[in-house]
Amino acid sequence: MSAEQHEFFETRTVAAKPDLVFVRSLRAQNYRLTLRKDGVGVATIPNRGSEREARRFAEEHQDWLERARSRQARKPRVATLWTLGTHVLWRGEMTEIRPASDGVRPTVGLAADVFRVPALQGDLRPTLEAHFLRRGKIELPGRTWQLAAETGMNVKQVTVRNQRSRWGSCSAGGTISLNWRLVQTPDSVRDYIIYHELMHLREMNHSDRFWARVAEVCPWWNEAELWLKRNGSLLGL
Ligand SMILES: [Zn+2]
């Protein structure tokens, strides 16, 4: 666990917060228990239900809530403020932002990469993400053209965008759009997304035939999907 994650959990315990809240829903048919992203349990009271019944329901399902909480606690979390010492995902590894300059021209290092920043103090995130986007715009199309040639696919255009909900997309006209955050993932995951979009030029769906084509060109697609599921939250996806 990295330093800022540790801090996060300490802050959580100190702050006084209810373990469970009750929400009445006119549409709910049954009592329901869910876990909010901040670790608070939510007991839903159906239309004609009572808070007392909802509390009893929550107590009966306490085991489920505890399991859901520990699952949530194990999930890697993203730091919202990036300062020197923060670990961020870079090229597939949690990498520490360290100072790399003489102070006249402030720069920070992430593994072997060096980035100019306006100052070493304050939130480095906007500047670094802008650098990542620029890197993405250079690296991702190049890699896509390379893999398109390798698989014999006819790509018309590659765009790199700031997408919050997807890693890539593909149009019937042959345009592939990629999320710049793919420069933060391992190379094998980046390549999987590119292969995935390329194979959509053959099969514009997620049928068995489509997945068979993906498996042909990218036999590690399963591990890549798993990585994305586990680590997507580090990238805000
Ligand atoms: Zn797809």
Side-chain angles (χ1 to χ4, degrees), residues 146-158:
Q146 204 176 343
L147 299 186
E150 181 196 288
T151 52
M153 299 311 300
N154 189 13
V155 174
K156 291 273 183 303
Q157 198 191 354
V158 183

Side-chain angles (χ1 to χ4, degrees), residues 124-225:
L124 301 169
R125 186 172 193 164
T127 310
L128 284 177
E129 288 195 333
H131 280 299
F132 294 177
L133 170 67
R134 271 197 292 279
R135 287 282 175 105
K137 287 195 165 174
I138 295 164
E139 291 175 15
L140 297 172
R143 187 63 181 158
T144 307
W145 294 120
Q146 204 176 343
L147 299 186
E150 181 196 288
T151 52
M153 299 311 300
N154 189 13
V155 174
K156 291 273 183 303
Q157 198 191 354
V158 183
T159 61
V160 173
R161 297 202 303 209
N162 185 19
Q163 293 163 306
R164 265 287 160 207
S165 57
R166 62 211 306 194
W167 291 104
S169 59
C170 171
S171 80
T175 297
I176 288 182
S177 299
L178 297 168
N179 192 320
W180 63 262
R181 290 173 184 81
L182 288 170
V183 296
Q184 289 186 264
T185 66
D187 290 355
S188 60
V189 172
R190 172 203 65 199
D191 284 355
Y192 156 65
I193 294 292
I194 297 174
Y195 281 125
H196 180 121
E197 300 311 333
L198 286 171
M199 291 305 107
H200 273 319
L201 293 172
R202 289 224 171 101
E203 301 281 338
M204 269 293 179
N205 51 52
H206 289 117
S207 62
D208 290 348
R209 264 222 317 260
F210 166 77
W211 286 112
R213 288 193 185 281
V214 171
E216 256 168 49
V217 293
C218 180
W220 64 93
W221 70 271
N222 233 323
E223 289 107 88
E225 277 284 341

